[in-house]
């Protein structure tokens, strides 16, 4: 007698590069795959080896994006690469806020007082002073 195959309730899974693309972290799947292949992405603090690695809700991803290291927890698996609000619903952002930087403002064009480049008016004054000194 044949036994019926067991039905296993599988948790939703998706390829890592596809999820990163759907969540709008990268513009193309190729860019997402390149970050994974370069060894720059971690899934639950373990380095991801392949772009085809499967991820599920609850996994924590750590990866560089421009000059920021992003830490996100997967909340849901997307069905498509939709608009930004739909993509933001796929994850919780755990990235710590950036530290405030000391910004010192400098005048864009300092006047000629021995600093910066003199204007045409300042050059005329200098020429008159030099001509008066020579007489």
């Amino acid at each position: 007698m044949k036994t019926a195959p067991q039905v296993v309730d599988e948790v939703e899974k998706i390829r890592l590069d596809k999820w990163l693309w759907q969540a709008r972290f990268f513009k193309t799947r190729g860019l997402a795959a390149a970050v994974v292949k370069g060894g720059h992405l971690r899934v639950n603090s373990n380095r991801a080896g392949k772009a085809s690695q499967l991820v599920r809700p609850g996994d924590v991803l750590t990866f560089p994006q421009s000059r920021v290291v992003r830490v996100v927890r997967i909340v849901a698996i997307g069905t498509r690469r939709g608009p930004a609000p739909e993509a933001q619903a796929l994850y919780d952002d755990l990235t710590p806020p950036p530290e405030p930087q000391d910004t010192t403002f400098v005048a864009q064009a300092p006047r000629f007082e021995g600093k910066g480049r003199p204007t045409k008016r300042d050059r005329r004054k200098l020429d008159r002073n030099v001509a008066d000194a020579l007489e």
Side-chain angles (χ1 to χ4, degrees):
M1 191 175 355
K2 265 187 166 176
T3 59
Q6 292 180 341
V7 177
V8 178
D9 185 25
E10 293 225 8
V11 178
E12 291 182 0
K13 295 179 185 177
I14 190 169
R15 285 177 56 114
L16 181 57
D17 62 338
K18 189 171 182 178
W19 187 87
L20 289 167
W21 172 71
Q22 284 181 353
R24 294 186 165 265
F25 287 110
F26 298 99
K27 203 171 205 176
T28 64
R29 279 181 66 183
L31 289 174
V35 169
V36 176
K37 287 179 189 173
H40 304 295
L41 191 134
R42 295 182 177 272
V43 179
N44 298 329
S45 72
N46 296 322
R47 183 175 291 174
K50 297 180 181 179
S52 62
Q53 180 175 339
L54 297 177
V55 292
R56 62 180 63 105
D59 287 346
V60 177
L61 307 178
T62 306
F63 57 94
Q65 188 179 29
S66 71
R67 295 183 180 191
V68 179
V69 175
R70 302 290 303 261
V71 180
V72 295
R73 178 180 294 123
I74 299 175
V75 174
I77 303 298
T79 57
R80 66 184 184 124
R81 186 174 200 257
E86 186 177 312
Q88 289 171 351
L90 298 178
Y91 63 91
D92 284 334
D93 195 0
L94 306 175
T95 305
E99 295 179 8
Q101 296 179 355
D102 181 32
T103 56
T104 316
F105 294 102
V106 179
Q108 290 182 345
R111 291 287 177 203
F112 184 73
E113 296 166 357
K115 303 179 226 166
R117 184 175 176 182
T119 63
K120 189 172 185 177
R121 182 178 178 196
D122 293 331
R123 287 194 306 271
R124 286 182 181 153
K125 285 181 184 177
L126 289 172
D127 291 341
R128 270 190 242 132
N129 292 341
V130 170
D132 291 340
L134 293 176
E135 291 178 358

